[in-house]
Amino acid sequence: MHKYALASLILLSGALGTASARDLAAIKASGVLYVGTEPTYAPFTYTQGKKVVGFEAELAEAIARKLGVKVEWRPSGFDTLLIGLDRDRFDLVVSSHGITPERQKAVDFATPHYCSGGVVLARSNGPLTVAALKGKAVGVQLGTTYAQRAQKLPGLGSVKTYPTNADALQMLLGGRVNAFVTDRFVALEARKKFPQANLKLGEMLFQEKIGIAVKKGNTPLRNAVNAALRGVMADGTYKKISTKYFGEDIRCK
Ligand code: LYS
């Protein structure tokens, strides 16, 4: 997360300390689970027409079914999601957040629902290693762990930050940046979707555990999500959805 965004989020949690999140009973009584996501992140959450689809979309819907409710998607900018949770705009955020100590100060995370990592993605003949990135322009999405990591890489020419994952990918395809740091599965999907660009995956820069976020302190909801997640992981639902999108089971080993 962007430094200032996180600072204001922590300040906000203090200022809005009295606002209460919907508890599990209220969610169940309403029959609806409000889920925040930034849907430009294929194959995790993206849009098809007006529908939010993808691996995490189907997983969130499977979790909601276990809780006996329906998901109502609330699309939002990635850098506003965790703040929105704190302002009670959503019950959950399902948007591929890496579980970091910094974010854990602001929100609570469910048990990780997949493991992945940040890779370098470039066009053919583009830079694929940290060494090759020296002096180059690297694109990232605002507020992501990839942006954080890229800013720490030594010797880069520049780090260009874009509001959405889709924008950053377009900049790579259009040659406005030499490389794009993003999730490994997102990179694989982009390579498949734009074969003419001849995209190549390079060095894996770091690994991360991805989790669903709830408002800090909403422990009954987090526990219910964990139980539902255990259920879909045990009954074959998780494996089926994961295989549909990735051809493999991407749960943390
Ligand atoms: N896993 C990255 C992060 O935690 C990216 C999240 C999704 C971005 N649309 O920041």
Side-chain angles (χ1 to χ4, degrees):
M1 172 174 302
H2 194 274
K3 263 190 203 128
Y4 299 115
L6 188 79
S8 45
L9 177 51
I10 289 168
L11 287 177
L12 262 171
S13 356
L16 300 178
T18 51
S20 68
R22 295 203 311 160
D23 64 13
L24 191 57
I27 291 167
K28 286 193 169 172
S30 76
V32 181
L33 185 66
Y34 299 120
V35 185
T37 196
E38 187 254 325
T40 79
Y41 201 60
F44 290 102
T45 61
Y46 56 106
T47 48
Q48 240 163 36
K50 283 188 176 162
K51 225 169 114 59
V52 177
V53 298
F55 169 71
E56 283 185 303
E58 291 195 33
L59 184 63
E61 281 157 10
I63 288 171
R65 267 197 304 280
K66 293 264 184 221
L67 300 175
V69 295
K70 277 202 160 31
V71 170
E72 191 176 302
W73 290 102
R74 297 204 161 165
S76 194
F78 185 70
D79 63 324
T80 67
L81 286 169
L82 299 186
I83 295 168
L85 201 52
D86 201 69
R87 289 182 179 171
D88 299 321
R89 289 177 53 211
F90 328 111
D91 301 309
L92 304 180
V93 167
V94 182
S95 204
S96 285
H97 280 87
I99 302 174
T100 66
E102 203 181 22
R103 287 173 178 162
Q104 280 174 313
K105 285 181 196 151
V107 299
D108 287 336
F109 283 101
T111 313
H113 59 282
Y114 74 94
C115 275
S116 188
V119 289
V120 179
L121 181 68
R123 285 162 295 138
S124 53
N125 304 323
L128 292 175
T129 60
V130 172
L133 285 175
K134 288 228 162 68
K136 305 288 186 197
V138 176
V140 289
Q141 182 185 2
L142 176 69
T144 61
T145 48
Y146 318 122
Q148 247 180 4
R149 186 73 186 87
Q151 269 138 15
K152 283 188 196 133
L153 292 175
L156 296 192
S158 59
V159 177
K160 298 191 178 183
T161 305
Y162 300 102
T164 73
N165 186 76
D167 293 332
L169 177 60
Q170 281 309 319
M171 294 299 152
L172 175 69
L173 294 172
R176 305 276 290 277
V177 290
N178 302 108
F180 172 28
V181 177
T182 189
D183 175 80
R184 188 172 84 86
F185 293 111
V186 171
L188 288 169
E189 179 78 7
R191 188 176 69 178
K192 203 164 74 190
K193 196 169 165 207
F194 300 98
Q196 72 287 1
N198 215 346
L199 296 174
K200 298 235 166 11
L201 271 73
E203 206 172 320
M204 182 107 162
L205 300 179
F206 65 96
Q207 300 196 346
E208 61 181 354
K209 293 182 175 167
I210 306 292
I212 293 172
V214 301
K215 186 174 182 172
K216 186 115 207 115
N218 200 349
T219 308
L221 180 59
R222 186 186 61 179
N223 292 345
V225 168
N226 282 343
L229 183 59
R230 270 199 303 280
V232 298
M233 281 183 162
D235 71 8
T237 309
Y238 181 99
K239 190 172 179 198
K240 195 170 142 209
I241 304 171
S242 182
T243 308
K244 170 178 168 186
Y245 285 95
F246 306 104
E248 61 177 305
D249 188 319
I250 68 163
R251 78 184 70 186
C252 300
K253 306 280 178 320

